[in-house]
Amino acid sequence: MDSNLLNPTPIPAMPRIGDNAPVFEAETTQGHINFPADYAGKWVILFSHPADFTPVCTTEFMTFATMEQEFQNLNCQLVGLSIDSIYSHIAWLRTIKEKIAFRDMKNVEVTFPLIDDIRMEVAMKYGMIQPNESNTKAVRAVFFIDPVGKIRAIIYYPLSTGRNFEELKRVLIALQTADAFGVATPADWKPGDDVIVPPAGSCGVAKERMQGKDEQVYCVDWFFCMKPLEKEKIDTLFVRKNEIVLN
Ligand code: BEZ
């Protein structure tokens, strides 16, 4: 009998949407972190990559680092991880800065923390090791963690596929918009597009609509109502948040 059937590789726990982000301490390229406590009050994108000194990961880091300010403007910090040592991380990030050009990016400095997880402790806690893809490399996992430390969205990509960072930004804004305005966002939504409002049966919503308080709402069917939500309103939300952070 196949010995794998008797002793299958244990399947690591997978945190789920709605769970509290698993707690850990780690060394990073920017010093020691207590996660998620150090990020209280901020959104975090915690993401893993398969290995330092690999080409797809290099293009991803250059892209994420170039967009870091855009994520910070959305009150979001980036934290990377791979099953490599801090010495490997430092050498790889230095190589990226000193030698690598990709598209219109060069001299790119990665200033967000990159976790040393050579013992795979964090990767195992977060279900980043998916043994049928690789036993020794993390998949490309992306965890969106909100300001109270709850996991709000998870996206996984295989080793061969580089992520779309505009999509990661879109998901972050959609989550923040849902929280701030009590709406949902339809397929392919982007800021400025109409949003989906809760069904009239929801608490208090029918009454408000009957009283004509939400005049902009229009219904496609009884279960499917939408309203405009101007991009400026969403932008203002983040500007106000950043003012509070800066003052
Ligand atoms: C890469 O980032 O290029 C890569 C990493 C692991 C497997 C395949 C590709």
Side-chain angles (χ1 to χ4, degrees), residues 34 38 82 107 112 117 135 150 190 207 247:
N34 276 302
D38 288 350
S82 73
N107 300 123
F112 57 79
D117 196 31
N135 272 323
K150 189 166 280 196
K190 55 189 184 324
K207 197 169 148 209
N247 289 341

Side-chain angles (χ1 to χ4, degrees), residues 67-81:
M67 291 175 74
E68 186 182 8
Q69 187 60 54
E70 293 176 55
F71 283 91
Q72 285 182 353
N73 292 347
L74 297 166
N75 190 33
C76 180
Q77 302 294 311
L78 309 177
V79 180
L81 174 150

Side-chain angles (χ1 to χ4, degrees), residues 50 54-57 137 140 159-160:
T54 53
V56 178
C57 302
K137 292 178 168 61
R140 299 180 199 279
L159 302 190
S160 60

Side-chain angles (χ1 to χ4, degrees), residues 52-233:
D52 298 344
F53 292 101
T54 53
V56 178
C57 302
T58 298
T59 63
E60 290 191 317
F61 264 67
M62 293 177 77
T63 308
F64 232 170
T66 303
M67 291 175 74
E68 186 182 8
Q69 187 60 54
E70 293 176 55
F71 283 91
Q72 285 182 353
N73 292 347
L74 297 166
N75 190 33
C76 180
Q77 302 294 311
L78 309 177
V79 180
L81 174 150
S82 73
I83 299 163
D84 289 297
S85 70
I86 204 129
Y87 307 104
S88 164
H89 288 337
I90 290 168
W92 179 47
L93 298 185
R94 188 183 300 145
T95 303
I96 288 177
K97 180 165 166 31
E98 291 176 358
K99 293 197 184 148
I100 309 292
F102 171 65
R103 301 209 174 112
D104 57 350
M105 296 176 276
K106 63 177 183 193
N107 300 123
V108 173
E109 189 160 7
V110 174
T111 55
F112 57 79
L114 177 48
I115 294 171
D116 169 340
D117 196 31
I118 192 79
R119 293 153 69 98
M120 295 196 196
E121 285 168 356
V122 181
M124 293 301 266
K125 272 193 173 177
Y126 274 82
M128 292 163 169
I129 306 296
Q130 305 200 355
N132 292 329
E133 177 75 340
S134 171
N135 272 323
T136 55
K137 292 178 168 61
V139 296
R140 299 180 199 279
V142 187
F143 288 85
F144 296 78
I145 298 167
D146 73 13
V148 295
K150 189 166 280 196
I151 296 173
R152 299 292 301 279
I154 307 171
I155 309 179
Y156 292 111
Y157 296 70
L159 302 190
S160 60
T161 307
R163 287 163 274 213
N164 181 321
F165 292 87
E166 286 298 333
E167 169 62 3
L168 302 187
K169 192 171 88 173
R170 191 193 73 88
V171 171
L172 175 68
I173 296 173
L175 290 166
Q176 295 175 334
T177 300
D179 286 0
F181 298 98
V183 296
T185 50
D188 295 333
W189 176 86
K190 55 189 184 324
D193 292 349
D194 291 359
V195 293
I196 294 175
V197 296
S202 313
C203 211
V205 175
K207 197 169 148 209
E208 280 202 357
R209 248 174 239 160
M210 280 165 66
Q211 291 170 342
K213 282 191 182 154
D214 208 347
E215 284 157 7
Q216 290 186 302
V217 172
Y218 62 92
C219 292
V220 180
D221 205 332
W222 62 268
F223 67 96
F224 182 177
C225 296
M226 300 186 75
K227 69 174 181 185
L229 178 57
E230 294 77 19
K231 182 179 178 308
E232 292 69 31
K233 279 194 185 157

